[in-house]
Amino acid sequence: MITVEQAEQLILENILTIPTEKVSINDALGRILAEDLCADRDFPPFNRVTMDGIAIRHEQLSKGQTSFLIEATAAAGSHEKTLQNPENCIEVMTGAMIPLGTDAVIRYEDIEIKDKTARITIDINEIKARQNIHPQGSDRKTGDVIVPKGRKLSPAEIGVAATIGKYEILVQRKLRAVVISTGEEIVPITETPLPHQIRTSNGFALQASLKNWGLETENVLLPDDQAIIEAKIAAFMETFDVLILSGGVSAGKFDFVPHALENQGVKKLFHKVSQRPGKPFWFGKSANGKVVFALPGNPVSTFMCLNRYFKKWLDASQDLENQQLMAELSEDFTFKPELTFFLQAKLSYTLTGKILATPVEGHGSGDLANLVEADAFLELPLERSLFKKGEIFKVFVYR
């Protein structure tokens, strides 16, 4: 058996290099950016008015001038205007180009307009040169990287792409994953199970997670038949980037998955991790670069391994920054076996920003229903048995 840390290291040593493709900006939300998005001109591209009001030449205030004849109006989207007489002003709207010959904008709230003359109603010493003006290039200069590659595209990044004219965006191709559940006791969800059977659920839980992370997925159910499992594995390795199996990896008489994988050329990189749940976890890679996560069949084991290991592998393959979240244990907890324990926990947040993890104890790794009572796994290290309230541990959130 290897440790959790050793398992993680081996997994991260076998990330994929993901091909790229161009997609329309309308289809880019949630995709992983594969190019830098750079400013195609200065941001803002001109000295921009930030308040509705009047634009003046500031030096006129030092001469004691407080009233200005309005000689023109500059609206957002209009061509640049020029102040013809320095003793006058130009009425300006938010988003307009600051008129040539002016260098300060006074808000409507600080003036009165009558007979096309604007009179300042505040202390002129409060008015500063360049006030209410957003200088050209103060946000970004032409060529500056605004969004670096490797970023997941949210609405904010989509907005940047639009403003720099990127109708087509280079993104990583979506990874394709197949979820394979095995077991004679499992029947399709459309069937009524007999007393010795259960409906398939792991495949749907795993598939939902993968879809949420942006993968294209297929979900299949196979019997405990080594020949069938091998044939399907061979076919799936031709069409999918990653295989995720649930069940059939322990030491039982009908646990055919490890042998089936090795017979199809998948090299075992490890089998069994010193953890609970999920001890029988199997991981390998084929000669043609396909990665295989063979997870234990108990629902909590399967779900934990996907969120603890597969998600980290996925983020690393996509070159996404993965900041490890930490949470504070809200009460004492004891776990005696010399294994890393993944404690199901309900998270809450204090007014000071702490993440608190409250244990949600279920009835073992087969207690699927208990997952809905919690929303994360707290990783408790194997060197200890007593974990004290207030201690900080790694946390893996699945909601």
Side-chain angles (χ1 to χ4, degrees), residues 81-354:
K81 296 189 180 298
T82 301
L83 184 67
Q84 301 300 321
N85 185 335
E87 296 182 354
N88 294 344
C89 69
I90 293 179
E91 209 169 350
V92 291
M93 307 300 142
T94 301
M97 300 180 76
I98 189 74
L100 291 174
T102 68
D103 59 1
V105 173
I106 305 173
R107 306 180 305 163
Y108 277 138
E109 293 91 333
D110 300 327
I111 61 173
E112 287 182 349
I113 297 178
K114 186 177 181 180
D115 298 329
K116 294 188 178 181
T117 297
R119 183 178 65 85
I120 299 172
T121 59
I122 62 170
D123 183 350
I124 60 175
N125 293 314
E126 297 178 11
I127 302 170
K128 308 299 181 185
R130 310 299 296 174
Q131 74 173 25
N132 299 323
I133 298 172
H134 192 178
Q136 178 177 342
S138 59
D139 294 342
R140 297 290 191 278
K141 297 290 188 184
T142 302
D144 283 353
V145 176
I146 304 175
V147 184
K149 65 181 178 180
R151 183 81 62 84
K152 190 171 185 177
L153 291 168
S154 76
E157 287 80 19
I158 295 296
V160 168
T163 203
I164 65 172
K166 290 289 291 186
Y167 180 75
E168 285 193 325
I169 304 174
L170 189 69
V171 298
Q172 293 179 10
R173 177 177 63 76
K174 285 188 175 185
L175 287 179
R176 301 193 69 238
V178 60
V179 177
I180 306 167
S181 300
T182 65
E184 293 294 338
E185 78 281 13
I186 303 172
V187 298
I189 62 172
T190 53
E191 294 185 12
T192 300
L194 297 173
H196 61 283
Q197 296 175 322
I198 57 173
R199 292 189 182 93
T200 181
S201 60
N202 285 353
F204 289 96
L206 299 182
Q207 186 179 40
S209 295
L210 298 178
K211 285 182 176 180
N212 193 40
W213 298 333
L215 282 75
E216 293 181 350
T217 69
E218 189 172 319
N219 180 16
V220 299
L221 176 61
L222 299 180
D224 283 328
D225 184 305
Q226 184 164 340
I228 293 175
I229 292 173
E230 285 195 31
K232 290 294 185 180
I233 286 171
F236 291 147
M237 284 198 298
E238 296 297 321
T239 54
F240 291 92
D241 301 302
V242 56
L243 280 65
I244 302 173
L245 294 95
S246 174
V249 294
S250 296
K253 186 175 182 179
F254 299 101
D255 288 327
F256 299 123
V257 167
H259 291 302
L261 288 168
E262 293 180 37
N263 287 346
Q264 293 303 315
V266 182
K267 181 182 178 181
K268 179 184 72 175
L269 297 177
F270 67 76
H271 186 194
K272 296 185 180 179
V273 182
S274 56
Q275 63 184 15
R276 182 180 294 176
K279 182 178 175 182
F281 178 21
W282 191 103
F283 177 76
K285 191 173 184 179
S286 70
N288 64 347
K290 302 302 173 73
V291 176
V292 178
F293 291 78
L295 313 179
N298 280 324
V300 178
S301 301
T302 299
F303 200 64
M304 185 282 291
C305 288
L306 187 82
N307 284 275
R308 172 60 178 87
Y309 298 103
F310 178 84
K311 183 60 165 61
K312 187 158 282 195
W313 172 88
L314 176 64
D315 288 347
S317 293
Q318 294 176 330
D319 200 25
L320 287 176
E321 183 179 354
N322 189 311
Q323 287 190 328
Q324 178 62 61
L325 286 179
M326 308 295 288
E328 179 180 310
L329 190 60
S330 69
E331 59 188 63
D332 291 351
F333 184 81
T334 301
F335 178 73
K336 292 185 177 180
E338 196 171 328
L339 299 167
T340 299
F341 185 60
F342 289 92
L343 173 66
Q344 293 176 66
K346 184 71 176 176
L347 302 184
S348 59
Y349 304 87
T350 70
L351 294 177
T352 58
K354 287 183 180 179

Side-chain angles (χ1 to χ4, degrees), residues 349-384:
Y349 304 87
T350 70
L351 294 177
T352 58
K354 287 183 180 179
I355 304 176
L356 295 181
T358 300
V360 180
E361 295 189 66
H363 298 92
S365 57
D367 187 0
L368 173 64
N370 200 57
L371 288 173
V372 303
E373 302 298 326
D375 43 30
F377 293 100
L378 198 68
E379 183 176 315
L380 304 179
L382 59 79
E383 297 88 359
R384 302 163 50 191

